C-alpha cells in the first residue's frame, strides 16, 4: 500500500571474490590454450575460483556482509532479500532463503530472479520498484552471485577461459529526500527467441538430469560465442543510447560507464561506438573474468573502493546476458 513519496538511495555496495586465482598460464596446463590467445581475444588475465565446498549462497553472504557493514546498518535492519543468480545452490528452494538463514535472519521475504548477466540492472529495477511503491520496506538487500565454475566444462576451451566466481551486493534504503535518490532511470528488455545462444540444456523440466544427460555434458554452460559477441555489442549500444536519450543526457553527463564485464573487446567496441573516453570506463574483466550478473556490481565496488567513484558520481551501467536479457541503469551516488 502506497503511503508516502519515497525514493531509493543506494546506501552501500559491497562485493566478494574468492581467494583462489586461476591464471591463463594455469589454464594452458589444463587445455589447449595460451595466455596470449586469452588476453588477445578477451582481455582476461586471471579469474577467481570458489574454494571446495564454497557455494553460491556463501559468495552472496560475503558480498552482503560487506555491503551491510559499509551501509552502517546491521543485518537485522534488512527487510527483503533479492538474489540474482543462474547457479542457485539447488533448483529449489531459492538461494535467497539460504542467504537469509546464513545471515541469521528470519521471516523477511526472500526470492531469486534469473536473468544471467543482466542481474545488476534487473536487480536495481526490482529493488527500486519495491522500495518506492509502498512503505513496507526500509532496506532492501540486492545480491547478484554466481559460482559459474559449477557449470563450466573444463574441456571446452571456448567457454572455460571466460568465467569466474564472485558476488556483488547493494543496500537500497528508502528516503523521502529526492536529492538522495540514487536511481535516475532503469531500462530492461529480453528476447526469448535467442535463448539458445547461452544456456545449460539439462537439469530442468525439459530434460531432467539423468546418466545420459551427464554423459552428454548437458549440465554444462553452452555458448555460441560469435553470435553472443555480435548481439552483445548491438544490444548494449542500443540500450545505452536509448536510456541516455530519454533522460536528455549524453556521455558527457556521465562520470563512469560500467558495462557487463564479459570481454574487453566488447567493452572497447562499445567505447568506440559511444565515444566513451578511457577515464570513464570501469574494467575488472582482466582480473575476474565474466562473473555473470554480479560483474557490474563488482566493478562499481572496485572503483568505489579505489576512490574513483565518489558521492555524487553519475554512473551508466549496461548489462547483457542469457535469455537474451539486457538492461541499463543511470545511477547517482
Ligand atoms: O555474458 C555473456 C557471455 N559471453 C560473452 O559475452 C562471450 C562473447 N563471445 C566472445 O567473447 C568470443 O566469441 C570468444 C572469446 C568466446 C571467442 O573469440 P572469437 O574471436 O570469437 O573466436 P572464435 O570463436 O571465432 O574462435 C577462433 C579460433 C577457433 O579456432 P579455428 O576454428 O579458427 O581453428 C577456436 O577453436 O580460436 C579457437 N579458440 C581458442 N584457441 C585457444 C577458441 N577458444 C580458444 C582458446 N584458446 N581458449
Amino acid at each position: 500500500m502506497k503511503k508516502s513519496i519515497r525514493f531509493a538511495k543506494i546506501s552501500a555496495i559491497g562485493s566478494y571474490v574468492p581467494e583462489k586465482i586461476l591464471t591463463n598460464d594455469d589454464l594452458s596446463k589444463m587445455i589447449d590454450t595460451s595466455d596470449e590467445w586469452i588476453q588477445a581475444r578477451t582481455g582476461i588475465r586471471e579469474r577467481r575460483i570458489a574454494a571446495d565446498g564454497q557455494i553460491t549462497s556463501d559468495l552472496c553472504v560475503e558480498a552482503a556482509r560487506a555491503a551491510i557493514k559499509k551501509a552502517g546498518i546491521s543485518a537485522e535492519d534488512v527487510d527483503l532479500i533479492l538474489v540474482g543468480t543462474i547457479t542457485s545452490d539447488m533448483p529449489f528452494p531459492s538461494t535467497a532463503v539460504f542467504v537469509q538463514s546464513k545471515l541469521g535472519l528470519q521471516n523477511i521475504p526472500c526470492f531469486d530472479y534469473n536473468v544471467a548477466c543482466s542481474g545488476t540492472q534487473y536487480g536495481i529495477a526490482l529493488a527500486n520498484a519495491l522500495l518506492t511503491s509502498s512503505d513496507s520496506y526500509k532496506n532492501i538487500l540486492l545480491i547478484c552471485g554466481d559460482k559459474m565454475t559449477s557449470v563450466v566444462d573444463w574441456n571446452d576451451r571456448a567457454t572455460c577461459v571466460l568465467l569466474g566466481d564472485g558476488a556483488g551486493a547493494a543496500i537500497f534504503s528508502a528516503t523521502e529526500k529526492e536529492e538522495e535518490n540514487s536511481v535516475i532511470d532503469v531500462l530492461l528488455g529480453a528476447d526469448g527467441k535467442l535463448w539458445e545462444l547461452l544456456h545449460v540444456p539439462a537439469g530442468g523440466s525439459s530434460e531432467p538430469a539423468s546418466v545420459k544427460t551427464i554423459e552428454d555434458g548437458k549440465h554444462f554452460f553452452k555458448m555460441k560465442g560469435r553470435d553472443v559477441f555480435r548481439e552483445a555489442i548491438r544490444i548494449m549500444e542500443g540500450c545505452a543510447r536509448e536510456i541516455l536519450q530519454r533522460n536528455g543526457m549524453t556521455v558527457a553527463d556521465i562520470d563512469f560507464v560500467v558495462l557487463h564485464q564479459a570481454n574487453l573487446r566488447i567493452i572497447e567496441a562499445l567505447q568506440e561506438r559511444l565515444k566513451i573516453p578511457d577515464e570513464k570506463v570501469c574494467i575488472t574483466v582482466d582480473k575476474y573474468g565474466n562473473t555473470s550478473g554480479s560483474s557490474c556490481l563488482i566493478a562499481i565496488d572496485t572503483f568505489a573502493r579505489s576512490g574513483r567513484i565518489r558521492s555524487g558520481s553519475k554512473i551508466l551501467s549496461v548489462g547483457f546476458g542469457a535469455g537474451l536479457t539486457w538492461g541499463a541503469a543511470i545511477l547517482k551516488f
Side-chain angles (χ1 to χ4, degrees), residues 31-34 37-38 41-42 117 156-163 198 221 223-230 232 260-263 265-266 290 292 320-322:
I31 45 165
D32 180 15
T33 190
S34 65
W37 191 96
I38 301 171
R41 300 288 180 122
T42 71
C117 304
D156 178 10
R157 66 178 184 172
T159 56
C160 75
V161 302
L162 305 174
L163 303 164
L198 293 149
F221 174 95
M223 182 179 75
K224 293 189 175 160
R226 280 187 202 177
D227 295 340
V228 173
F229 191 94
R230 195 185 54 244
H260 173 45
Q261 306 287 308
N263 184 325
R265 283 162 58 216
I266 295 177
N290 179 353
S292 181
F320 164 91

Side-chain angles (χ1 to χ4, degrees), residues 240-262:
R241 287 194 190 283
E242 188 179 340
I243 198 165
L244 286 171
Q245 197 218 340
R246 78 184 191 188
N247 287 281
M249 298 168 103
T250 68
V251 167
D253 300 304
I254 298 291
D255 299 301
F256 294 98
V257 179
V258 183
L259 302 168
H260 173 45
Q261 306 287 308

